[in-house]
Amino acid sequence: LINTEFEEDLPSRIASVAPDARIIMRQDIKAAGELVETVDVVYGKLSEEQFTRAKNLKWLHSASAGMDFALSAAAGAHRAVFTKSHIHAEVMSEHLFAMLLALFRRLDIAHSFQLDSKWDRPAWEQVDVLSGKTLCIVGAGVIGRRCAMLAEAFGMEVIAVRRCAKPTPHAKKVYPPEQLHEALRGGDVVVAILPNTPETKKMIDADAFAAMPNGAVFLNVGRGQTVDTDALLEALKSGRLRAAGLDVTDPEPLPADHPLWAQPNVLITCHYAGMFPRYNIEAGAVFIENLRRFLAGDELLGVMDREAGY
Amino acid sequence: LINTEFEEDLPSRIASVAPDARIIMRQDIKAAGELVETVDVVYGKLSEEQFTRAKNLKWLHSASAGMDFALSAAAGAHRAVFTKSHIHAEVMSEHLFAMLLALFRRLDIAHSFQLDSKWDRPAWEQVDVLSGKTLCIVGAGVIGRRCAMLAEAFGMEVIAVRRCAKPTPHAKKVYPPEQLHEALRGGDVVVAILPNTPETKKMIDADAFAAMPNGAVFLNVGRGQTVDTDALLEALKSGRLRAAGLDVTDPEPLPADHPLWAQPNVLITCHYAGMFPRYNIEAGAVFIENLRRFLAGDELLGVMDREAGY
């Protein structure tokens, strides 16, 4: 079952690796829901109801990085193997630095002047440089580790919070989650790149914001549910936070009347940090490689840690 | 003569290095123009008329990176030594990547949606990644060389155009100015970081834009006069250029009715790529170090190449 967007040559590439496979499309399953009961392999996501019916499912490969959809009771109880596509490190680290540099160089002010055809610039005290600042990366997975490398190139010091507090290239110090607040105290810039799991829910709460230095800049490119939105707004209003860059929010989509939209010094990009033109090609290539491994009985790439929840 | 903005402890720091010096302030010379005739040392710029009168001037130190002001006939004929402050590499390379990433991640679209409180994002074909692209740096001085290092960290290939085509760290190939068009042909992204001199005037003209690949992205953080603005507009309208990021323009300031303001896919920041909070402190520190050297007869830092014009 192909249950996600895909590059048009994917069916023929599947056929060349698995000539005997019957390919079911998203629209087929919409028309005849019982087809999901026959499926051995899924490329894409399933709803909770589909997980309940997919008795035959052995392996599901997601084109996304986030595996939130696999945390439902039905998915959690399912004995299939779940894999994900690690293709987001470059694009998401670039998006994160786009937001961070835009906040430091006040491109929002520049954009507003430009809309008014007005030759004017921010005040001296409104602009700043990354060089010399400390970046605290909360969630130093594949994406966070590339951010650490880029931050070092920009002359930043890097500290990280990781579930397994292993030494991490480009990070001066790595803290376990129990020492989150200690790590946050050192971050001029704090970046959350956390998956949505029971452990990470509202991990960045009022106490976490209180631990950050005055005037810290906060960014979230992981999942909106890992941040307490009311506490975030309060931290922005009190001046504890100087600015925030959010690619994800809670709730999502953010309703039109939500106060975050108009809060000064907030940059919102609507959950597209992972978008790049070759996305479907690259995600499809990981699926095809995993399909080859699946048929050969080899170890799959990007296997989800079901206990950790991502 | 202190003829620029300065940090308030500068006079006392001058006094500690040069206890016998008489310090003349900008406002003194405004009230009594003839004072410029007595001046041995200037920290800041002089007008053409002031250069004509400053018969006693032995050394001028500029707080800026650009030395355009020293290209007038009176300044050119003056036998004083001119020095500049090399303190812009970090801030300007950050500003350049802020603009470049904002264009690639379409933060302008995100900003417009945010102003409308609308949860929406650019189309897949509108966003892109730097990784894998080639950056052509036209003017690989101190600032350009830091940009080359950052570009390499982002996974870009770097080629450079330099007056002296010396091997340059992080650049795969370095071209002399005579091979400008050959270099431009290879640039998915072209960045001009040129000083304003007789040689660089409108160096990026219609022929230069025609040499760039279709869909190239162009940025200018050097001097507006090095680019032919009409040719730039034409290249944007024809689609030859996909986007442009401009910290400097010609003319400058850009008049309110100039078509560049409203041209799609143009990001304008009004000549503030070099601004950072510690600017006056760091520029003052370079001046104080040079003052110490001047009095000791040692070699000065950042001596302007009068023949090259920067």
Side-chain angles (χ1 to χ4, degrees), chain B residues 16-272:
Chain B
S16 71
V17 173
D20 300 331
R22 178 181 164 209
I23 302 177
I24 299 174
M25 297 297 189
R26 184 184 259 186
Q27 58 273 28
D28 302 333
I29 215 142
K30 274 183 186 152
E34 69 282 2
L35 275 175
V36 80
E37 292 162 21
T38 67
V39 159
D40 295 289
V41 174
V42 170
Y43 175 49
K45 300 176 186 181
L46 289 183
S47 68
E48 173 141 33
E49 193 246 338
Q50 287 172 324
F51 268 118
T52 313
R53 296 179 77 174
K55 303 284 185 209
N56 215 30
L57 179 67
K58 290 161 191 71
W59 164 48
L60 175 146
H61 183 84
S62 169
S64 308
M67 300 295 281
D68 328 37
F69 70 93
L71 294 181
S72 69
H78 206 294
R79 291 166 62 191
V81 176
F82 298 165
T83 56
K84 55 187 168 171
S85 303
H86 281 302
I87 59 169
H88 304 80
E90 289 178 351
V91 64
M92 291 192 65
S93 57
E94 290 190 21
H95 195 88
L96 187 133
F97 275 90
M99 292 202 295
L100 180 53
L101 286 162
L103 292 170
F104 268 63
R105 303 309 299 165
R106 295 307 304 260
L107 297 189
D108 59 323
I109 295 179
H111 190 234
S112 294
F113 284 142
Q114 187 172 351
L115 292 175
D116 290 344
S117 303
K118 190 177 169 194
W119 186 267
D120 203 350
R121 58 191 190 183
W124 283 88
E125 63 275 14
Q126 290 181 298
V127 292
D128 207 346
V129 285
L130 299 183
S131 177
K133 303 287 192 301
T134 297
L135 174 67
C136 175
I137 300 173
V138 185
V142 180
I143 299 161
R145 295 201 293 277
R146 186 168 172 93
C147 292
M149 179 275 290
L150 289 169
E152 191 179 67
F154 276 104
M156 304 182 85
E157 279 217 340
V158 178
I159 55 181
V161 180
R162 262 182 102 171
R163 197 166 54 94
C164 59
K166 284 191 289 199
T168 299
H170 313 288
K172 190 183 62 166
K173 192 161 180 195
V174 181
Y175 296 84
E178 304 79 57
Q179 291 180 276
L180 171 66
H181 290 188
E182 200 176 322
L184 293 176
R185 265 187 272 283
D188 301 310
V189 178
V190 175
V191 174
I193 320 177
L194 292 165
N196 178 23
T197 73
E199 281 70 41
T200 62
K201 196 170 167 62
K202 296 197 179 177
M203 192 166 163
I204 312 295
D205 56 10
D207 290 343
F209 288 117
M212 296 178 198
N214 254 325
V217 171
F218 175 73
L219 296 102
N220 189 7
V221 295
R223 283 290 181 262
Q225 297 91 333
T226 65
V227 174
D228 181 332
T229 304
D230 292 339
L232 168 64
L233 263 167
E234 195 46 48
L236 284 159
K237 281 178 186 155
S238 72
R240 161 68 43 162
L241 290 183
R242 177 151 63 98
L246 308 170
D247 187 59
V248 290
T249 57
D250 181 29
E252 197 170 297
L254 209 57
D257 60 354
H258 199 285
L260 259 183
W261 287 116
Q263 178 65 35
N265 299 333
V266 173
L267 167 60
I268 298 172
T269 62
C270 299
H271 206 140
Y272 71 89

Side-chain angles (χ1 to χ4, degrees), chain A residues 4-305:
Chain A
T4 186
E5 288 179 47
F6 60 92
E7 197 67 16
E8 59 181 38
D9 68 346
L10 189 71
S12 69
R13 296 180 66 204
I14 292 173
S16 72
V17 173
D20 301 332
R22 177 182 165 208
I23 302 177
I24 299 173
M25 298 297 190
R26 185 185 259 185
Q27 59 273 29
D28 302 333
I29 215 144
K30 274 184 186 150
E34 70 282 3
L35 275 176
V36 80
E37 292 161 21
T38 67
V39 158
D40 294 290
V41 174
V42 170
Y43 175 48
K45 300 176 186 182
L46 289 183
S47 68
E48 172 140 34
E49 193 246 338
Q50 288 171 323
F51 268 119
T52 313
R53 297 179 77 174
K55 303 283 185 210
N56 215 30
L57 178 67
K58 289 161 192 72
W59 165 47
L60 175 144
H61 183 84
S62 169
S64 308
M67 300 295 280
D68 327 38
F69 69 93
L71 295 181
S72 69
H78 206 294
R79 290 165 63 189
V81 177
F82 298 163
T83 57
K84 54 188 168 172
S85 303
H86 282 301
I87 58 168
H88 303 81
E90 289 179 352
V91 64
M92 291 192 64
S93 57
E94 289 190 22
H95 196 89
L96 188 133
F97 274 90
M99 292 203 294
L100 181 52
L101 285 163
L103 291 170
F104 268 63
R105 303 308 300 165
R106 294 311 301 263
L107 297 189
D108 59 322
I109 295 178
H111 190 233
S112 294
F113 284 141
Q114 186 172 352
L115 292 175
D116 291 342
S117 304
K118 191 177 169 194
W119 187 268
D120 202 351
R121 58 191 191 183
W124 282 88
E125 63 276 13
Q126 290 180 299
V127 292
D128 208 346
V129 285
L130 299 182
S131 177
K133 303 288 192 300
T134 296
L135 174 67
C136 176
I137 298 172
V138 185
V142 179
I143 299 161
R145 295 201 292 278
R146 186 169 171 91
C147 291
M149 178 276 288
L150 289 170
E152 191 179 67
F154 276 105
M156 304 182 84
E157 279 218 340
V158 179
I159 55 181
V161 180
R162 264 182 101 170
R163 198 165 54 94
C164 58
K166 284 191 289 198
T168 299
H170 313 289
K172 190 183 64 166
K173 192 159 179 195
V174 181
Y175 296 84
E178 305 78 57
Q179 290 179 276
L180 171 66
H181 290 187
E182 200 176 323
L184 294 176
R185 265 186 271 284
D188 301 310
V189 178
V190 175
V191 174
I193 319 178
L194 292 164
N196 178 23
T197 73
E199 281 70 40
T200 62
K201 197 171 166 60
K202 296 199 179 176
M203 193 166 163
I204 311 296
D205 57 9
D207 290 344
F209 287 117
M212 296 178 197
N214 253 325
V217 172
F218 174 73
L219 296 101
N220 189 7
V221 294
R223 282 291 180 263
Q225 298 91 332
T226 66
V227 174
D228 181 330
T229 304
D230 292 339
L232 168 63
L233 262 167
E234 196 46 47
L236 284 159
K237 282 179 187 157
S238 72
R240 161 67 44 162
L241 290 183
R242 177 150 64 97
L246 309 170
D247 186 60
V248 291
T249 58
D250 181 28
E252 196 170 299
L254 208 57
D257 61 354
H258 198 284
L260 259 184
W261 287 117
Q263 177 65 34
N265 299 333
V266 173
L267 168 60
I268 299 173
T269 62
C270 298
H271 206 140
Y272 71 90
M275 278 172 76
F276 63 104
R278 287 177 49 84
Y279 192 100
N280 289 341
I281 298 171
E282 294 195 15
V286 180
F287 170 65
I288 293 291
E289 169 59 20
N290 260 353
L291 180 58
R292 194 192 60 70
R293 290 168 178 241
F294 177 75
L295 295 171
D298 293 343
E299 195 183 352
L300 299 181
L301 301 173
V303 175
M304 176 185 176
D305 180 338

